[in-house]
Amino acid sequence: MEVASRLFAAGGVVMWPLLGFSILALALVLERLVFWIRVSTRQPEIVQETLSLYQRSPRSAMILLKQNSHLPLARIFLSALELDDPNPEEFRLALETAAQAELPLIKRFNTVFETIISLSPLLGLLGTVLGLITSLANLRLGDLGGTQSAAVTAGIGEALISTAAGLVVAMVTLLFANTFRGLYQRQIALIQEYGGQLELIYRHRYEKGGSHAAQ
């Protein structure tokens, strides 16, 4: 802990915004981890059960979806199933509209992650420049081994530490951001797949003269 404090102090003024970025990134990463763990572990089971249940008892399927309305696909399905006897085209449009509405929630914080990834190395570079300026300002020809050498060394240390800190914050954030991006793309594919399955089931019931609100 003491070593970390010394390194933080030696990194100069840019360490404070980098610390803020790291805390923000950590908070957002934890929120997204909780979200994706919940979606990845619970949603496939609920969707499969809903599709199976809907063919026998649409009303029971809707009850199940309402009990799990915290899941994106459950909300998408409900938006279509709660319509009053739509035709297949209206049903499809309801699914597509609901899916589009869910995209910002699924991609939540992507812009913040990208900002942190872009600005952290730049802040590290700024720290490098400030450290070198400090070193050059304290450099006196003919006195490299004298009293000014400590200040020159401190300036170089500030440059290196701030650069390393900026890169670490950016790389760790990038790792999680890419992971979440992959999960987002997979979620989009699942929405299209399961939405298509529900649409086919509804179309089949509609052509047979059934109602999705029937028992």
Side-chain angles (χ1 to χ4, degrees), residues 127-189:
T128 300
V129 173
L130 295 177
L132 292 177
I133 290 174
T134 300
S135 296
L136 293 175
N138 288 283
L139 181 62
R140 298 290 186 274
L141 295 178
D143 192 28
L144 294 179
T147 58
Q148 301 300 325
S149 60
V152 173
T153 302
I156 296 175
E158 177 181 339
L160 296 176
I161 292 171
S162 60
T163 301
L167 291 175
V168 168
V169 173
M171 287 188 297
V172 173
T173 305
L174 178 61
L175 173 64
F176 283 103
N178 283 342
T179 301
F180 298 145
R181 188 176 295 111
L183 292 171
Y184 159 75
Q185 292 173 346
R186 174 172 170 76
Q187 187 68 20
I188 296 301

Side-chain angles (χ1 to χ4, degrees), residues 21-39 108-109 113 116 172-173 176-177 179-180 183:
F21 277 175
S22 62
I23 293 174
L24 176 60
L26 177 61
L28 300 185
V29 163
L30 290 176
E31 191 278 340
R32 290 287 85 188
L33 282 175
V34 171
F35 172 81
W36 284 114
I37 289 173
R38 181 176 60 188
V39 169
R108 193 178 183 189
F109 303 134
F113 286 134
I116 293 174
V172 173
T173 305
F176 283 103
T179 301
F180 298 145
L183 292 171

Side-chain angles (χ1 to χ4, degrees), residues 39-127:
V39 169
S40 300
T41 57
R42 183 64 176 159
Q43 184 168 262
E45 176 186 352
I46 295 300
V47 170
Q48 293 291 351
E49 186 177 352
T50 297
L51 292 173
S52 176
L53 191 60
Y54 181 69
Q55 301 182 61
R56 306 189 305 270
S57 175
R59 184 167 297 174
S60 298
M62 291 181 66
I63 292 174
L64 177 63
L65 290 173
K66 289 178 180 179
Q67 292 173 345
N68 295 274
S69 59
H70 59 284
L71 300 173
L73 267 168
R75 293 192 294 268
I76 292 172
F77 282 9
L78 277 173
S79 67
L81 295 178
E82 288 178 338
L83 295 177
D84 186 17
D85 292 329
N87 59 46
E89 181 65 18
E90 292 172 338
F91 191 85
R92 180 182 63 83
L93 288 175
L95 286 175
E96 291 179 353
T97 302
Q100 289 297 319
E102 288 293 327
L103 294 186
L105 299 177
I106 298 173
K107 295 175 63 177
R108 193 178 183 189
F109 303 134
N110 276 15
T111 302
V112 180
F113 286 134
E114 292 172 1
T115 301
I116 293 174
I117 292 167
S118 300
L119 287 184
S120 293
L122 294 178
L123 284 171
L125 179 60
L126 176 61

Side-chain angles (χ1 to χ4, degrees), residues 169-215:
V169 173
M171 287 188 297
V172 173
T173 305
L174 178 61
L175 173 64
F176 283 103
N178 283 342
T179 301
F180 298 145
R181 188 176 295 111
L183 292 171
Y184 159 75
Q185 292 173 346
R186 174 172 170 76
Q187 187 68 20
I188 296 301
L190 290 176
I191 288 174
Q192 295 174 343
E193 176 185 351
Y194 290 134
Q197 292 180 24
L198 181 64
E199 182 184 352
L200 288 175
I201 295 172
Y202 180 78
R203 185 179 294 272
H204 180 68
R205 289 179 58 86
Y206 184 86
E207 291 174 350
K208 292 176 62 176
S211 168
H212 70 222
Q215 292 287 347

